[in-house]
Amino acid sequence: MAQAGKESLTRTAMCGRLSESDIGREVVLSGWVQRRRDLGGVIFLDLRDRSGIVQVVSSPEFGEAAFAVADLVRNEYVISVRGDVVARDPDTVNPNLETGTIEVRAREVELLNRSKPTPFPIEDGIDVDESVRLRFRYLDLRRPEMQRTFLLRHRAMQLVRRFLDRHGFMEIETPMLTRRTPEGARDYLVPSRVHPGQFYALPQSPQLFKQLLMVSGFERYFQIVRCFRDEDLRADRQPEFTQIDIEMSFMPLAEFQELMERMMAELFQELLGVTVPLPFRRIPYDEAMLRYGSDKPDLRFGLEIRDVTETVKTCGFRVFQSAVNSGGAVRGLNAKGCGGFSRKEIDDLGALAGQLGAKGLAWMVITDEGVKSPIAKFFTDEELAAIRRELGAEAGDLLIFVADRPEICAEVLGQLRLHLGRRLGLIDDGSFAFAWITDFPLFSYDEEEKRWVAEHHPFTMPRWEDVDLMERDPGRVRAQAYDMVLNGYEIGGGSLRIYRREIQEAMFRTLGFSMEEAREKFGFLLEAFEYGAPPHGGMAFGFDRVVMLMAGKSSIRECIAFPKTASASCLLTGAPSEISEEQWRELHIRPDGVTARQ
Amino acid sequence: MAQAGKESLTRTAMCGRLSESDIGREVVLSGWVQRRRDLGGVIFLDLRDRSGIVQVVSSPEFGEAAFAVADLVRNEYVISVRGDVVARDPDTVNPNLETGTIEVRAREVELLNRSKPTPFPIEDGIDVDESVRLRFRYLDLRRPEMQRTFLLRHRAMQLVRRFLDRHGFMEIETPMLTRRTPEGARDYLVPSRVHPGQFYALPQSPQLFKQLLMVSGFERYFQIVRCFRDEDLRADRQPEFTQIDIEMSFMPLAEFQELMERMMAELFQELLGVTVPLPFRRIPYDEAMLRYGSDKPDLRFGLEIRDVTETVKTCGFRVFQSAVNSGGAVRGLNAKGCGGFSRKEIDDLGALAGQLGAKGLAWMVITDEGVKSPIAKFFTDEELAAIRRELGAEAGDLLIFVADRPEICAEVLGQLRLHLGRRLGLIDDGSFAFAWITDFPLFSYDEEEKRWVAEHHPFTMPRWEDVDLMERDPGRVRAQAYDMVLNGYEIGGGSLRIYRREIQEAMFRTLGFSMEEAREKFGFLLEAFEYGAPPHGGMAFGFDRVVMLMAGKSSIRECIAFPKTASASCLLTGAPSEISEEQWRELHIRPDGVTARQ
């Protein structure tokens, strides 16, 4: 029996790159057997490497020893083949294979390694539980769609770096073992062996370091960097994620934003062949919440929300009236052409609105005869006409309304907008709609802690014209902060930073810190700022999410080579895991709930 | 008094890039004031940005308000200047400044930020305690030599990535929160909040993941990646360091090494203008130990060690004889032209040898009259002639000898060789001598644990011709492992990996693990290897060290933006630091030595 041994053949060609121009060449190929068919006396092997697949034909006529080895080979065995590239008979050409017009006749087959049968087939579109894919991630990653995704990710990383390098940004590495973050999400902590009872924190972002690098005069910094957040992993978060981190000094905001737009446009042009129109739309936060019910609107379709509070404030419908009277709003959406929805379909929308927090969903169907609605009777003809006008309603349309606090109106109608957009097929999956969301509020009021907190982080610069409001009316202060959104996802965000002491002090007063507390929390950054901090700002992109959208995936787990589950476990390696007694001792810690060791 | 405010000027030029071709232009510059001189009615400001320095002249004649601001400015203040580029008077040209033939007459000066007096001057070659530099790292990094180092580091990173990308390597990110390493150095550990009592480990290297990526069929992988080791920081180690990590499949070793050589040659050519001769020398480990007394020899100079055991084995000098009789060696070094060393100088060499572990240092001075040495009388004329011949000794040379176990001979003479090389000025600081050290032993015997341990790691492939020796005579098995050395430093190392089950099992048997223990330690990798692992191998470069050597520095701390001290502290941020009661609780841990909480 052929024994796998020291490899003696050296690859001279890649499977997927062979073509008719190679006919007559002798090549050596190496790779995995995708499929083996034995047609009695002739064995066909589909041989796969990183570049693609080619058919290898083995018959005693081409090589007797080769045939004996080919006979032993099974799926996912690793082999090298020396053979001749020949044209296929016209009737055996495989139009589904890029190399389908040729095949390789095996003179020599070398068995490099065996494989057990794989738990799922190595091919696209498999229907396998994600936990099995994660447990055998190394096999999952062999599948062509995964290979394509990680090639795209690789290319995107290189392209971003080249773009930033070309524009004078320097890649500078910041520490991973750093000091815990005040005022942020939950840190991952690393106990120190040398300093008992003390901990490093893994960075949630290199925010403070990148600002220090601006104080250092590097002027243009970037890093594609791992960040960490020990959060409960709802939806599509990962405990560690990759960020394109950028900071620069002495540049006007508009110029910086324009540069970031060009970076994205180049990425999409080069890697997807998609031309992104420039400049991006700029939508102030308030407007995004009003028209799209979201600060990360999906702009691939219209279906905009309209505020009809003014129009209905004196109408006879008590639900609307009382919402308005208690400071709320009434907003509506025109579901174009949905006038034919059944009562059940409309009820389902109402149920969805309820789940999203609405007390109810009012609706009107527009017909040639007029407005058909259980609430039509509460409105005057003038009011109905005004509503139709404001929502651009025509016969055949369905109008839906929410009356509630403005945040609830936005949330519910924003989600219904997305729901209807998908359901009505308004979303072109191949299109990419970028925008900037600007003028975020600088502060939000934390009802639990009964104090103002920083929406972004406490170094975010207010708009200059709002500086005077910081202590008088924090809720009205707009930040010089901006998010980049794409197809309903926030893909990046940033701000100009406070670099001047007076404004920083006003910020801390509003947040309710004394300068002593501030120094305790942010001491080294505040100290650095006393030695000539330049005007600076920057942003960070969620790189996993950018790749996810570019690859047309719906989860970032598809774009991370070795992701973790919702309970932050790695199904492949079994991390996290227990440690030894000695390790506990060395770190000067004990499990909680266990009595002290003697 | 001028109040720092919203910036209104937008930079149009960089200080260091201005030249006589800009004369007549109005420019806006932004940066830091390097120096201010007031010549009564005229103020000179040296303005510095990332590109360099230019002189700004302010006088009421050029701008009255500008002059009032310039009057307030001090060192390291941040300003913008609008002004005209003019030629300097021939007698005020500054030949030490790249922009020394021109200056900028200030029409407008905008004060962007103030600075306190800095704790040390922002210039090269300062004589300041390193702890002060680290505490104020953001100011230290402003100094031109630091800016140059990090620009070099940035360029090296980009160049390495481009090289590897061009050769089909894909950058794939591996996890930072992973499973603890069996059989390695000490891990940094991260307690899990979700899984009480369990820990992630920060990677010492992505070794297992990069091998898994080969099983996944990516074929060519790289990453410039942070790695962690919780070791006692002797000499020039850091708890976190950066590695260029590379792995590939289906490639003969020689071809892989040749590729790595070309990468280094390109790096040195492009960034330093240094042409590195190719191919690199290849020196087997045994030969390196014999000739240079080191597995990372400094090859910038000769001064090679010679083994004279055979020659002296029957001589009359008892020290040599007894060393030889007890299985030891006698080796010597010809300190060319040092025959004139005083007795004290020779005694100092002996004292150094003693500190390094030698029992003594024998010496001979070669003169026109013959050999002058206290031990000359123990040798026959033939023996002396043979020694002279073997060491290439001529009149005026000093020969030194160590007789001991071969490891001691190597260590002591290796260090004396370096000492003498430096002292005799044999080392050209501007030269770069690369080599591969090959054929490392696969195993070494751990006297404490009384067992064989893997020299590199337990997946290192033995030479095929030594496979049969693995269980019979482990000490003689040579590994398919290789280090790249440069100027006396190991800058990278790697190996071909075991990809075949039988050899892996033999490895574990030699290490004394049962397959059950092996599965417990390396389970997921062994499992992966059952599904068609390709022949593969790779290497990792210590990137900090490569940059250090390129930048001509003597510590990697000079090449890491925010390094830690020998006690793994960050003097800038104060990491590590204490955490809150709530954080202890959330992580299900308690300080050791503290009684259980109720």
Side-chain angles (χ1 to χ4, degrees):
Chain A
M1 177 174 159
Q3 190 58 41
K6 175 179 182 338
E7 57 274 24
S8 66
L9 294 175
T10 300
R11 176 195 265 180
T12 62
M14 297 294 286
C15 299
R17 303 252 168 75
L18 292 178
S19 69
E20 289 172 56
S21 69
D22 295 298
I23 289 170
R25 253 181 90 192
E26 185 186 84
V27 293
V28 175
L29 304 171
S30 295
W32 287 261
V33 175
Q34 175 78 26
R35 203 159 63 117
R36 172 184 179 281
R37 281 160 304 152
D38 186 343
L39 300 190
V42 186
I43 294 170
F44 294 90
L45 303 174
D46 284 351
L47 188 64
R48 185 190 71 234
D49 65 19
R50 204 177 81 173
S51 66
I53 289 177
V54 73
Q55 177 167 285
V56 171
V57 192
S58 178
S59 130
E61 177 193 346
F62 309 141
E64 213 153 326
F67 184 75
V69 180
D71 193 41
L72 298 170
V73 156
R74 296 293 174 268
N75 283 0
E76 300 306 317
Y77 275 36
V78 188
I79 61 173
S80 288
V81 174
R82 184 171 60 80
D84 304 303
V85 182
V86 299
R88 292 206 205 184
D89 287 341
D91 55 330
T92 64
V93 161
N94 180 350
N96 300 321
L97 202 61
E98 281 214 48
T99 61
T101 60
I102 54 152
E103 59 193 17
V104 175
R105 290 186 175 163
R107 286 179 187 272
E108 192 177 348
V109 177
E110 188 167 77
L111 176 59
L112 297 172
N113 221 344
R114 296 184 171 73
S115 173
K116 296 204 295 194
T118 54
F120 47 80
I122 308 302
E123 61 191 33
D124 284 353
I126 54 173
D127 179 24
V128 178
D129 195 81
E130 195 187 11
S131 65
V132 178
R133 291 177 52 207
L134 291 177
R135 162 106 171 64
F136 295 95
R137 188 61 160 184
Y138 44 88
L139 296 176
D140 191 35
L141 290 171
R142 269 189 205 164
R143 299 186 307 111
E145 58 179 321
M146 298 301 271
Q147 295 265 325
R148 279 194 302 275
T149 298
F150 286 94
L151 186 57
L152 177 74
R153 185 174 176 122
H154 160 73
R155 286 187 175 145
M157 288 181 89
Q158 310 315 313
L159 191 141
V160 164
R161 285 211 193 78
R162 279 171 211 199
F163 181 92
L164 291 170
D165 178 45
R166 203 163 70 231
H167 288 90
F169 288 81
M170 280 169 65
E171 188 170 4
I172 302 177
E173 294 152 276
T174 53
M176 290 280 149
L177 292 171
T178 181
R179 192 185 162 96
R180 70 199 173 88
T181 321
E183 297 277 294
R186 199 186 284 113
D187 287 319
Y188 275 104
L189 295 169
V190 183
S192 163
R193 181 176 55 84
V194 182
H195 306 277
Q198 303 202 348
F199 290 73
Y200 304 96
L202 301 180
Q204 295 181 29
S205 93
Q207 183 65 37
L208 303 185
F209 288 105
K210 71 177 175 174
Q211 295 195 242
L212 288 173
L213 289 171
M214 293 303 105
V215 176
S216 293
F218 284 105
E219 301 196 13
R220 296 187 178 200
Y221 144 92
F222 84 97
Q223 198 180 184
I224 301 188
V225 63
R226 205 69 57 81
C227 300
F228 303 84
R229 271 178 215 181
D230 186 9
E231 287 175 338
D232 295 310
L233 304 181
R234 52 194 162 92
D236 206 24
R237 295 272 183 101
Q238 283 281 311
E240 49 180 312
F241 53 96
T242 300
Q243 194 164 291
I244 307 172
D245 198 47
I246 300 172
E247 193 82 9
M248 63 186 309
S249 304
F250 302 121
M251 190 188 254
L253 176 54
E255 206 177 309
F256 177 65
Q257 288 180 323
E258 193 253 353
L259 192 69
M260 296 295 97
E261 291 177 8
R262 281 198 286 135
M263 182 170 87
M264 283 294 135
E266 193 169 310
L267 198 59
F268 278 69
Q269 186 70 58
E270 295 291 317
L271 301 188
L272 301 183
V274 168
T275 303
V276 174
L278 297 180
F280 294 176
R281 279 177 67 180
R282 277 158 176 71
I283 309 175
Y285 170 84
D286 286 343
E287 185 186 329
M289 293 308 288
L290 198 63
R291 290 171 60 185
Y292 304 102
S294 169
D295 60 358
K296 39 179 193 282
D298 190 337
L299 300 167
R300 287 176 295 179
F301 65 104
L303 217 63
E304 289 187 17
I305 300 162
R306 293 280 177 258
D307 191 287
V308 294
T309 310
E310 279 302 306
T311 310
V312 304
K313 68 177 175 196
T314 54
C315 76
F317 184 41
R318 200 174 303 167
V319 174
F320 281 13
Q321 257 195 2
S322 76
V324 176
N325 290 340
S326 58
V330 181
R331 293 182 192 163
L333 194 67
N334 180 352
K336 270 280 168 214
C338 297
F341 269 25
S342 69
R343 187 60 196 248
K344 164 130 193 356
E345 284 173 311
I346 294 177
D347 285 349
D348 286 349
L349 286 182
L352 185 54
Q355 286 160 29
L356 293 165
K359 286 188 284 285
L361 188 74
W363 57 271
M364 297 178 180
V365 166
I366 313 299
T367 67
D368 286 333
E369 289 77 44
V371 172
K372 232 180 65 187
S373 163
I375 62 168
K377 59 187 173 211
F378 301 115
F379 296 83
T380 65
D381 284 350
E382 289 72 27
E383 285 168 341
L384 288 175
I387 287 172
R388 288 177 63 163
R389 204 166 47 242
E390 284 172 34
L391 287 167
E394 301 165 311
D397 290 351
L398 167 69
L399 312 184
I400 55 180
F401 302 91
V402 174
D404 214 310
R405 285 188 290 124
E407 311 87 80
I408 304 279
C409 291
E411 169 66 15
V412 174
L413 287 170
Q415 292 293 337
L416 287 177
R417 174 179 174 271
L418 291 175
H419 173 83
L420 287 166
R422 276 191 293 267
R423 175 160 168 184
L424 301 177
L426 301 179
I427 302 177
D428 172 4
D429 274 334
S431 75
F432 295 95
F434 284 92
W436 290 103
I437 309 300
T438 63
D439 295 314
F440 281 85
L442 187 63
F443 299 102
S444 64
Y445 194 76
D446 186 318
E447 295 288 349
E448 249 175 66
E449 296 196 30
K450 302 268 175 242
R451 67 174 182 107
W452 292 97
V453 295
E455 264 287 284
H456 196 56
H457 58 63
F459 306 102
T460 306
M461 186 71 189
R463 284 177 59 148
W464 284 99
E465 59 268 45
D466 293 354
V467 166
D468 288 343
L469 293 172
M470 288 178 75
E471 294 177 77
R472 262 186 10 241
D473 191 355
R476 277 181 52 213
V477 179
R478 289 159 302 169
Q480 296 201 53
Y482 35 85
D483 279 356
M484 191 186 283
V485 299
L486 170 60
N487 293 2
Y489 289 89
E490 178 214 323
I491 59 169
S495 66
L496 299 193
R497 323 301 183 187
I498 300 175
Y499 63 95
R500 296 259 316 290
R501 193 193 165 99
E502 314 85 81
I503 300 176
Q504 192 64 63
E505 288 177 357
M507 166 62 88
F508 288 138
R509 279 193 301 271
T510 305
L511 297 179
F513 304 158
S514 67
M515 272 314 279
E516 285 62 46
E517 285 171 297
R519 214 159 266 133
E520 161 70 25
K521 283 173 195 276
F522 304 103
F524 62 94
L525 186 66
L526 296 180
E527 185 172 58
F529 278 9
E530 306 215 320
Y531 291 98
H536 63 289
M539 72 182 292
F541 290 91
F543 184 63
D544 307 296
R545 204 175 269 169
V546 171
V547 174
M548 177 189 90
L549 290 168
M550 292 183 77
K553 303 286 180 186
S554 55
S555 160
I556 59 169
R557 289 190 302 280
E558 298 294 320
C559 310
I560 293 175
F562 301 100
K564 293 194 174 58
T565 64
S567 70
S569 302
C570 172
L571 297 183
L572 169 59
T573 62
S577 64
E578 291 180 1
I579 60 171
S580 69
E581 278 293 306
E582 190 189 345
Q583 287 174 306
W584 282 101
R585 232 182 348 257
E586 281 181 337
L587 297 176
H588 320 285
I589 57 174
R590 266 204 323 270
D592 204 359
V594 172
T595 48
R597 286 199 198 88
Q598 295 311 315
Chain B
M1 179 172 157
Q3 189 60 38
K6 175 178 182 337
E7 59 271 26
S8 66
L9 293 174
T10 300
R11 177 195 264 180
T12 62
M14 297 294 286
C15 298
R17 303 252 168 75
L18 291 178
S19 70
E20 289 172 58
S21 70
D22 295 298
I23 289 170
R25 253 182 87 193
E26 185 187 84
V27 293
V28 175
L29 303 170
S30 296
W32 288 262
V33 175
Q34 176 77 25
R35 203 160 64 116
R36 172 184 179 282
R37 280 161 303 151
D38 187 342
L39 299 191
V42 186
I43 294 169
F44 294 91
L45 303 175
D46 282 352
L47 189 63
R48 186 191 70 236
D49 64 19
R50 203 176 83 173
S51 67
I53 288 177
V54 74
Q55 176 167 286
V56 171
V57 192
S58 178
S59 131
E61 177 194 347
F62 308 140
E64 213 152 328
F67 183 77
V69 179
D71 193 42
L72 298 170
V73 156
R74 296 293 174 270
N75 283 1
E76 299 307 316
Y77 274 35
V78 189
I79 61 173
S80 289
V81 174
R82 184 171 61 80
D84 304 303
V85 182
V86 299
R88 291 207 205 182
D89 287 340
D91 56 331
T92 64
V93 162
N94 180 349
N96 300 319
L97 203 61
E98 281 213 49
T99 60
T101 60
I102 53 152
E103 59 193 16
V104 175
R105 290 187 176 164
R107 288 178 187 274
E108 191 178 348
V109 176
E110 188 167 78
L111 176 59
L112 296 172
N113 221 343
R114 295 184 171 73
S115 172
K116 296 204 295 193
T118 55
F120 47 79
I122 307 302
E123 62 192 31
D124 284 353
I126 53 173
D127 179 26
V128 178
D129 195 81
E130 195 188 9
S131 64
V132 178
R133 291 176 51 207
L134 291 176
R135 161 103 172 66
F136 296 95
R137 188 62 158 183
Y138 44 88
L139 296 177
D140 191 35
L141 291 171
R142 269 188 204 167
R143 299 185 308 112
E145 58 179 321
M146 298 302 272
Q147 295 264 326
R148 279 195 301 276
T149 298
F150 287 93
L151 186 57
L152 177 73
R153 185 174 177 120
H154 161 73
R155 285 187 177 147
M157 289 182 89
Q158 310 314 312
L159 190 141
V160 165
R161 286 211 192 79
R162 279 171 212 200
F163 181 92
L164 291 169
D165 177 46
R166 203 164 70 233
H167 288 89
F169 288 81
M170 280 169 63
E171 188 170 5
I172 302 178
E173 294 152 277
T174 53
M176 290 281 150
L177 292 171
T178 180
R179 192 184 161 97
R180 69 198 175 89
T181 321
E183 297 278 294
R186 198 186 285 112
D187 287 318
Y188 276 104
L189 296 168
V190 183
S192 163
R193 180 176 54 83
V194 182
H195 306 276
Q198 303 201 348
F199 290 74
Y200 304 96
L202 301 180
Q204 295 180 30
S205 94
Q207 184 63 37
L208 303 184
F209 288 106
K210 71 177 175 175
Q211 295 195 241
L212 289 172
L213 290 170
M214 293 303 104
V215 176
S216 295
F218 283 106
E219 301 197 12
R220 296 189 177 198
Y221 144 91
F222 83 97
Q223 199 180 181
I224 301 187
V225 62
R226 203 70 55 83
C227 300
F228 304 84
R229 271 178 215 181
D230 186 8
E231 288 176 335
D232 295 309
L233 304 181
R234 53 194 163 91
D236 205 24
R237 296 274 182 101
Q238 283 282 310
E240 50 180 310
F241 52 96
T242 300
Q243 193 163 292
I244 307 172
D245 198 47
I246 300 173
E247 193 83 7
M248 62 186 311
S249 304
F250 302 121
M251 189 188 254
L253 176 55
E255 205 177 310
F256 177 65
Q257 289 180 324
E258 193 252 354
L259 192 69
M260 296 296 96
E261 292 177 7
R262 281 198 285 135
M263 182 170 87
M264 282 294 135
E266 193 169 310
L267 197 58
F268 278 70
Q269 186 70 59
E270 295 290 317
L271 301 188
L272 301 183
V274 169
T275 303
V276 174
L278 297 180
F280 293 176
R281 281 177 66 181
R282 277 158 175 71
I283 308 176
Y285 171 83
D286 286 343
E287 185 187 329
M289 294 307 288
L290 198 63
R291 291 171 61 184
Y292 304 101
S294 168
D295 60 358
K296 40 180 194 280
D298 190 336
L299 300 166
R300 287 175 295 178
F301 65 104
L303 217 61
E304 289 186 17
I305 300 162
R306 292 281 176 259
D307 191 287
V308 294
T309 310
E310 279 303 306
T311 309
V312 303
K313 70 179 175 192
T314 55
C315 77
F317 185 40
R318 199 174 305 167
V319 173
F320 282 11
Q321 257 196 3
S322 74
V324 176
N325 290 339
S326 57
V330 181
R331 294 183 191 161
L333 193 66
N334 180 353
K336 270 280 166 212
C338 298
F341 269 26
S342 70
R343 187 60 195 250
K344 164 135 193 353
E345 284 172 310
I346 294 177
D347 285 349
D348 286 349
L349 286 182
L352 185 53
Q355 287 161 29
L356 292 165
K359 286 188 286 285
L361 188 74
W363 59 269
M364 297 178 180
V365 166
I366 313 298
T367 68
D368 287 332
E369 289 76 47
V371 174
K372 232 180 66 188
S373 163
I375 62 167
K377 58 187 174 213
F378 300 115
F379 297 83
T380 64
D381 285 350
E382 289 71 29
E383 284 166 342
L384 288 176
I387 288 172
R388 288 178 62 164
R389 203 167 46 243
E390 282 170 37
L391 287 167
E394 301 165 309
D397 290 351
L398 167 68
L399 312 184
I400 55 179
F401 302 90
V402 174
D404 215 310
R405 285 189 291 123
E407 311 87 80
I408 304 279
C409 291
E411 168 66 15
V412 174
L413 286 169
Q415 292 293 337
L416 287 178
R417 174 179 175 270
L418 291 176
H419 172 82
L420 286 166
R422 277 190 292 267
R423 175 161 165 186
L424 302 177
L426 302 179
I427 302 176
D428 172 5
D429 275 334
S431 75
F432 295 95
F434 285 92
W436 290 102
I437 308 301
T438 63
D439 295 314
F440 280 86
L442 187 62
F443 299 102
S444 63
Y445 194 77
D446 186 319
E447 295 289 347
E448 250 176 67
E449 296 196 31
K450 301 269 175 240
R451 66 174 183 107
W452 292 97
V453 296
E455 264 287 283
H456 196 56
H457 58 64
F459 306 103
T460 305
M461 185 71 188
R463 284 176 59 148
W464 284 99
E465 59 268 44
D466 294 353
V467 166
D468 288 343
L469 292 172
M470 289 177 75
E471 293 177 78
R472 263 188 8 240
D473 191 355
R476 279 181 52 212
V477 180
R478 290 159 301 171
Q480 297 201 53
Y482 34 85
D483 278 357
M484 191 187 282
V485 299
L486 170 60
N487 293 1
Y489 289 90
E490 178 215 324
I491 59 169
S495 66
L496 299 193
R497 324 300 184 186
I498 301 175
Y499 63 95
R500 296 258 315 291
R501 193 192 165 103
E502 315 83 81
I503 301 176
Q504 190 65 64
E505 288 177 356
M507 167 62 91
F508 287 139
R509 279 193 301 271
T510 305
L511 297 179
F513 304 159
S514 67
M515 273 316 278
E516 286 62 48
E517 285 171 298
R519 215 160 265 134
E520 161 70 25
K521 283 173 195 277
F522 304 104
F524 63 95
L525 187 65
L526 295 179
E527 186 172 57
F529 277 9
E530 306 216 319
Y531 291 97
H536 63 288
M539 72 181 292
F541 290 90
F543 184 63
D544 307 296
R545 205 175 269 170
V546 171
V547 174
M548 178 188 89
L549 291 168
M550 293 183 77
K553 303 286 181 185
S554 55
S555 161
I556 58 169
R557 291 189 301 279
E558 298 294 320
C559 310
I560 293 175
F562 301 100
K564 293 194 175 59
T565 64
S567 70
S569 303
C570 173
L571 297 182
L572 169 59
T573 62
S577 64
E578 291 181 359
I579 59 171
S580 69
E581 277 293 307
E582 188 189 348
Q583 286 175 307
W584 282 101
R585 231 180 352 256
E586 281 181 336
L587 297 176
H588 320 285
I589 58 174
R590 268 205 321 272
D592 203 0
V594 172
T595 47
R597 285 199 200 88
Q598 296 311 315

